[in-house]
Amino acid sequence: MLNTKLEFAKKVVRQAGGFIRQHLSDDLEISEKTHFDDLVTNLDREVQEQILTQILSTFPKDHVLAEENDVRHDIKDGNVWVLDPIDGTTNFIVQRDNFAVMLAYYESGIGKIGVILDVMSDNLYWGDGTSAYKNEAQIHLTVKPLRQSLIGVNTYMYRTNAGGLLDLSHESLGVRAIGSAGIEYVNILEGKIWGYFSNLSPWDYAAGAVLIAPFGYITQQIDGRPLAFEGRQMMMSVPSNQLDKIKAYIK
Ligand code: IPD
Ligand code: CA
Ligand code: CA
């Protein structure tokens, strides 16, 4: 069954990417959610609706936790799909680049499937928590020490030293900020960044956490507590065998 669900997830995410690319030069309907810089487009909503409909018609007993339109099911309750229809909406609007479609699947709060599509490169990253693939090729990742690496950051947390992030950055070669959690996870998988520190909602980290787990990564709150999969939380995805070294900085 898990394999059927994995193939389903890869298919619907690839279809969503094709749909978005087909509509790239359309006039977007852009609306503000909570603030002028918190935007959503008609394509975010259409993609969510398309994937949600396919999930519920294919797996009618499953549940969904998704970003738009208050689709909120408790991650710990049964079989739950976690969907971010367009991650990096601001990048999508301004750059038409650096955005992702993300879908994850959890059983009683345990991550079983993670899928991220870098929409413009059309590269699909997928995995089941034990191995991860880029399109058809298995990913092999050797994590370097922090002092030979870059880290992905949320710029507000970085400049205010929230959680000690600015202090930690002095132990690295520098920081980078992309504006899409999904692309940050892709960059971890590509060995371009060592870890990622941000303030995120469940749909921002659900797929990424599953995808990087095979390489010894842990995704948790910045203070070490497990993620709650509700609301925004300051979090980090880091190599678990280097946790001790960063504890002097990250609190
Ligand atoms: C956002 C992006 C961004 C992160 C924000 C998220 P959205 O997702 O992942 O990188 O810093 O916190 O909300 O709203 O574009 O899906
Ligand atoms: Ca989104
Ligand atoms: Ca997002």
Side-chain angles (χ1 to χ4, degrees):
M1 186 52 144
L2 218 50
N3 209 40
T4 310
K5 288 190 172 175
L6 179 56
E7 290 309 314
F8 166 86
K10 288 162 62 182
K11 183 188 81 184
V12 294
V13 167
R14 272 210 186 278
Q15 278 173 355
F19 177 77
I20 296 168
R21 286 192 304 272
Q22 267 174 11
H23 291 274
L24 269 190
S25 24
D26 290 7
D27 285 334
L28 292 174
E29 289 163 34
I30 302 170
S31 352
E32 290 177 16
K33 293 203 274 190
T34 56
H35 192 243
F36 85 92
D37 64 359
D38 180 15
L39 301 172
V40 62
T41 75
N42 57 306
L43 282 189
D44 296 63
R45 294 201 164 113
E46 284 166 35
V47 167
Q48 174 160 321
E49 208 42 50
Q50 287 173 10
I51 295 183
L52 195 99
T53 306
Q54 292 186 79
I55 291 171
L56 296 179
S57 63
T58 314
F59 308 108
K61 293 188 182 142
D62 289 1
H63 309 280
V64 182
L65 168 62
E67 179 174 16
E68 310 303 340
N69 303 329
D70 281 326
V71 178
R72 302 282 184 271
H73 188 87
D74 179 1
I75 191 90
K76 291 182 207 75
D77 176 27
N79 299 345
V80 186
W81 295 85
V82 188
L83 171 64
D84 190 339
I86 298 183
D87 175 68
T89 295
T90 308
N91 288 350
F92 170 57
I93 293 168
V94 177
Q95 305 180 329
R96 295 290 199 276
D97 199 4
N98 296 312
F99 60 96
V101 177
M102 298 202 277
L103 182 62
Y105 170 73
Y106 281 63
E107 290 181 350
S108 307
I110 313 284
K112 300 286 181 184
I113 292 170
V115 178
I116 298 179
L117 180 74
D118 175 341
V119 176
M120 295 313 292
S121 70
D122 199 25
N123 283 319
L124 188 77
Y125 298 81
W126 53 277
D128 62 0
T130 65
S131 56
Y133 291 77
K134 174 183 181 182
N135 304 317
E136 301 316 317
Q138 186 165 359
I139 297 172
H140 301 283
L141 177 63
T142 310
V143 183
K144 290 200 174 129
L146 182 55
R147 284 188 164 209
Q148 295 169 31
S149 305
L150 295 165
I151 52 182
V153 299
N154 166 293
T155 50
Y156 178 81
M157 282 172 61
Y158 173 62
R159 69 175 182 264
T160 58
N161 199 23
L165 184 53
L166 178 60
D167 297 335
L168 179 74
S169 72
H170 298 312
E171 290 297 309
S172 75
L173 290 179
V175 300
R176 299 291 183 267
I178 302 284
S180 157
I183 302 298
E184 299 280 8
Y185 282 110
V186 163
N187 283 345
I188 291 179
L189 292 166
E190 295 280 1
K192 293 180 178 175
I193 56 171
W194 170 94
Y196 178 41
F197 297 77
S198 193
N199 184 27
L200 298 179
S201 302
W203 42 84
D204 297 316
Y205 54 74
V210 175
L211 277 165
I212 62 177
F215 310 105
Y217 275 82
I218 183 159
T219 300
Q220 61 185 20
Q221 290 190 60
I222 213 147
D223 60 11
R225 284 181 294 159
L227 284 155
F229 282 83
E230 54 180 66
R232 273 190 189 270
Q233 295 187 304
M234 284 208 288
M235 51 67 66
M236 57 185 179
S237 288
V238 293
S240 54
N241 65 1
Q242 295 186 46
L243 262 181
D244 278 352
K245 286 196 195 117
I246 70 172
K247 272 187 184 144
Y249 307 94
I250 292 295
K251 294 155 179 91

